[in-house]
Amino acid sequence: MVTRFGLPGTNFRAGAKAEPPAAADAETIASLSTRLDAAAQVRLGRSLAIRHVNTGSCNGCELELRALTNVVYELERFGLRFVDSPRHADVLLVTGPLTRTLRATLEQARLAAPDPKWIVAVGDCAVDGGVFKGSYAVLGGAGLAVPVDLTIGGCPPSPARILAGLRSLLEANAARKG
């Protein structure tokens, strides 16, 4: 077995070995799927478009957001998808502490998104500045620039936690509408 950079379990032919999801995760994901689908049907018809807005993060939360699109979580089977423009988005997912230089970007993304829209702060940094709180370049959490509908804490939050947060947002708004 030829290892690459001396890392065990990695070789040029087979690549790294992925761990299968835990049984509890599989049950949680199945439950989330059913509940997300029901809530999304009431609120949005068949799908939910998500635009990710990075306001200065370390990319830890971005890795977890991208994990939502892998074969374990497969975000699109729930009717959720990432879009490239805030003009097509129902949800703005904000990651990272609100920096001075990216405050205007977040405000512009919010103005570009059509109504009704939700803003979700993902990760401790987007909630209140996280470990970067107190830095001269950081203003704090996303709530200082735009009204936040949901906060999902964690450094970084797991993909299952992000899905659960989106589900709770959909269910809460479906109950208000119904």
Side-chain angles (χ1 to χ4, degrees):
M1 173 192 225
V2 177
T3 60
R4 184 174 159 206
F5 303 107
L7 299 174
T10 305
N11 65 41
F12 291 114
R13 289 187 210 134
K17 305 291 186 217
E19 295 180 18
D25 284 346
E27 292 173 14
T28 302
I29 292 169
S31 170
L32 283 171
S33 173
T34 305
R35 294 173 75 184
L36 268 170
D37 190 41
Q41 290 292 335
V42 171
R43 171 77 168 120
L44 300 164
R46 296 198 44 89
S47 68
L48 181 70
I50 300 168
R51 171 68 175 143
H52 169 236
V53 181
N54 182 342
T55 58
S57 83
C58 68
N59 292 327
C61 293
E62 283 74 10
L63 291 172
E64 301 302 321
L65 288 177
R66 295 303 158 230
L68 288 172
T69 62
N70 70 22
V71 297
V72 174
Y73 296 99
E74 199 177 347
L75 188 70
E76 291 201 18
R77 71 179 158 162
F78 302 130
L80 307 173
R81 62 187 168 86
F82 285 101
V83 294
D84 294 328
S85 171
R87 294 182 192 275
H88 304 143
D90 302 309
V91 174
L92 295 178
L93 282 183
V94 182
T95 59
L98 182 64
T99 60
R100 295 180 190 281
T101 57
L102 292 172
R103 179 182 185 146
T105 303
L106 177 59
E107 291 169 345
Q108 289 171 358
R110 179 179 175 268
L111 290 173
D115 288 325
K117 60 185 159 255
W118 295 317
I119 300 174
V120 179
V122 177
D124 291 342
C125 294
V127 172
D128 66 359
V131 297
F132 302 104
K133 190 178 351 179
S135 167
Y136 70 94
V138 173
L139 299 172
L144 294 175
V146 294
V148 174
D149 298 300
L150 174 70
T151 60
I152 302 173
C155 187
S158 67
R161 190 170 184 175
I162 296 169
L163 279 176
L166 290 172
R167 174 197 43 88
S168 69
L169 180 69
L170 285 169
E171 287 178 345
N173 283 286
R176 272 191 231 152
K177 191 174 184 181

